[in-house]
Amino acid sequence: MPHRSSPSSRGRVRIARGASPWLLPTVATAAVSLAGARRSGKARAVAVPVTALAAGMLWFFRDPEREIAPGRVISPADGVVQSVMPWKDGRTRVAIFMSPLNVHVNRAPLAGTVTSVEHVPGGFVPAFNKESEHNERVVWHFDTELGDIEMVQIAGTVARRIVPYLPEGTKVEQGERIGLIRFGSRVDVYLPEGVEAGVEVGQKTTAGVTRLDRD
């Protein structure tokens, strides 16, 4: 069954796991510069942009609770559908582009068991570029009621680190958090043969909420 957040947790926002290498130094620098701003004009000049950067980092790495919607396959990412492409093996690839303004935490599209988590080295061209097919990525496979489901987290020109949360063999609920891509990037889901895409190019998606397939 999909995970349902409790009434008390809805609307609560936490910071994503894996954000600390970027977030902690920025917040610490902002705190030091703000502390010295009262005594030094130079510190005040530094405090404004550093504090703005820290606030931006907090926004980038937000991880809101979600009420997981019903559906066989739900979106693993916040973003915009970049393409819906039939694949040679009968599957359909739904590619979702995530901008730096989107939530960067990705969620399981179906309930099942993680059968593999493979890191593939590569480049870092913009995730909306066709050449991003060769970017750094993490390839997930889930054993689900629909069979094997493949999901790929693709790094972009800024997002140079993908942080998987779960190892191979983990059982997951639909909509459960599975990993983080720092800053803008792309997530692809391969719908199995016989499952029709229920989204269109240009449509906005919300992780754990937007249904990707149709009956």
Side-chain angles (χ1 to χ4, degrees):
M1 293 292 290
H3 170 72
R4 305 296 179 188
S5 58
S6 65
S8 61
S9 68
R10 292 171 197 165
R12 188 177 66 189
V13 178
R14 62 184 187 180
I15 299 301
R17 288 170 51 197
S20 55
W22 287 76
L23 188 60
L24 292 182
T26 307
V27 171
T29 302
V32 171
S33 62
L34 285 171
R38 294 181 180 180
R39 302 187 298 273
S40 166
K42 186 178 291 187
R44 281 195 294 274
V46 173
V48 173
V50 172
T51 302
L53 179 60
M57 287 284 186
L58 287 168
W59 175 254
F60 287 151
F61 291 118
R62 68 198 185 280
D63 182 11
E65 297 292 342
R66 295 276 167 83
E67 177 70 17
I68 306 305
R72 289 186 301 176
V73 186
I74 58 173
S75 177
D78 288 15
V80 175
V81 177
Q82 184 182 38
S83 66
V84 179
M85 183 180 297
W87 221 240
K88 294 179 181 179
D89 59 7
R91 296 180 300 168
T92 300
R93 187 187 71 179
V94 178
I96 300 170
F97 175 71
M98 301 165 59
S99 83
L101 298 180
N102 291 126
V103 172
H104 308 302
V105 176
N106 300 142
R107 294 172 178 264
L110 287 86
T113 301
V114 179
T115 55
S116 70
V117 184
E118 180 187 7
H119 173 258
V120 181
F124 298 100
V125 302
F128 53 80
N129 192 305
K130 185 177 180 180
E131 295 303 316
S132 65
E133 302 294 335
H134 305 293
N135 273 14
E136 180 107 1
R137 64 191 59 219
V138 170
V139 181
W140 296 76
H141 283 271
F142 302 91
D143 181 23
T144 76
E145 62 180 9
L146 295 180
D148 176 70
I149 295 293
E150 180 179 350
M151 189 193 95
V152 185
Q153 295 174 295
I154 303 172
T157 186
V158 177
R160 298 196 172 223
R161 181 68 192 277
I162 301 171
V163 184
Y165 291 166
L166 305 175
E168 181 180 327
T170 305
K171 291 185 177 181
V172 295
E173 295 184 2
Q174 188 177 44
E176 183 177 343
R177 296 170 176 88
I178 62 169
L180 169 73
I181 313 180
R182 293 173 181 158
F183 304 103
S185 37
R186 199 178 96 199
V187 178
D188 294 348
V189 177
Y190 291 81
L191 302 178
E193 186 175 6
V195 176
E196 185 179 356
V199 290
E200 300 177 346
V201 173
Q203 180 177 337
K204 292 184 178 180
T205 62
T206 301
V209 176
T210 305
R211 184 175 178 180
L212 296 185
D213 70 311
R214 73 170 81 244
D215 293 325

